[in-house]
Amino acid sequence: MRIFPKLRLENDNTLSPECILAGLLLAVKGQAPNDVELMHLSTTLAGPSTDNYMVRSDDLKELIQNSDRILTSMGLTAFLEKSAPLLSSKQKLATLVTIMDLCMVENSLLDGERPVFEKIRAGFDISEDDLRPFEEMLILKNEASIRLNVLPA
C-alpha cells in the first residue's frame, strides 16, 4: 500500500499529496532542492512499483515548478490550511518524516529550517511526542559512528 499515490500531473492548480510534499519541502528549504534531495523526493513519490524507483526527471521538475508557484501565490499559512484536510494522518506524518530525512544535517534541522518545519508540524496537528520516535530513528539511521564498514580493508 502506497502512502503517496503514483505521481500523475493532471492540473497545474491541483493540490495533490505529491504537490503538497514538494511544496512543503521547498518551504522548509527556502530554496530549490539539490540533486540528492530531488532524487530522494523522486523515490518517495515513485514508490517500489515503478521501474528504477524514480519519477521521470521532466515530471519531477514540473511538479517542483507547480508546487513552487502554488506555494508562492498562496503563502505558507494558506497552503497549510488548504493542504491539511486533503491528507490522511499517515500522509501528514510521512510528509513530515520525509522532510526531516531530506533536511537533517548532522542529525538536526538547520536553524532557518526549524521554524518553518514547526509551523508545518503544528498546521498538521502532529505533536512533538508523536514525531519524536521518527526523529530518533532518523538520527540513528544517519549516525556515522555506528555504520558498518562493509568494504574490504
Side-chain angles (χ1 to χ4, degrees):
M1 179 174 189
R2 298 176 53 86
I3 291 183
F4 292 100
K6 186 175 179 181
L7 177 62
R8 286 185 192 89
L9 296 172
E10 297 171 5
N11 182 333
D12 288 350
N13 296 315
T14 301
L15 269 180
S16 65
E18 305 91 345
C19 179
I20 294 167
L21 173 60
L24 294 177
L25 174 62
L26 289 168
V28 171
K29 295 298 292 175
Q31 62 190 18
N34 65 39
D35 289 341
V36 172
E37 293 162 344
L38 284 175
M39 188 166 55
H40 189 103
L41 179 61
S42 175
T43 58
T44 299
L45 296 176
S49 63
T50 306
D51 292 339
N52 299 325
Y53 303 98
M54 302 292 280
V55 173
R56 286 180 352 143
S57 176
D58 291 344
D59 290 345
L60 188 61
K61 286 178 186 174
E62 189 174 340
L63 173 68
I64 295 289
Q65 290 170 349
N66 289 344
S67 301
D68 187 40
R69 184 182 43 72
I70 294 169
L71 177 65
T72 300
S73 69
M74 288 183 164
L76 180 58
T77 301
F79 190 89
L80 279 170
E81 288 171 357
K82 287 199 172 218
S83 298
L86 300 175
L87 299 177
S88 69
S89 58
K90 286 182 181 181
Q91 287 173 319
K92 291 174 186 174
L93 195 54
T95 296
L96 290 170
V97 171
T98 299
I99 291 170
M100 280 185 356
D101 193 23
L102 289 171
C103 295
M104 288 179 92
V105 175
E106 296 183 10
N107 290 332
S108 65
L109 294 168
L110 298 175
D111 290 338
E113 296 168 343
R114 174 70 58 191
V116 178
F117 182 82
E118 289 301 322
K119 185 173 185 172
I120 296 167
R121 184 191 58 71
F124 281 174
D125 199 28
I126 305 260
S127 73
E128 288 183 40
D129 289 339
D130 289 342
L131 201 54
R132 189 164 291 115
F134 297 97
E135 184 175 14
E136 290 172 2
M137 183 265 319
L138 289 172
I139 290 169
L140 183 64
K141 173 190 153 242
N142 294 323
E143 180 57 50
S145 67
I146 61 171
R147 290 190 190 129
L148 297 175
N149 184 0
V150 294
L151 297 175

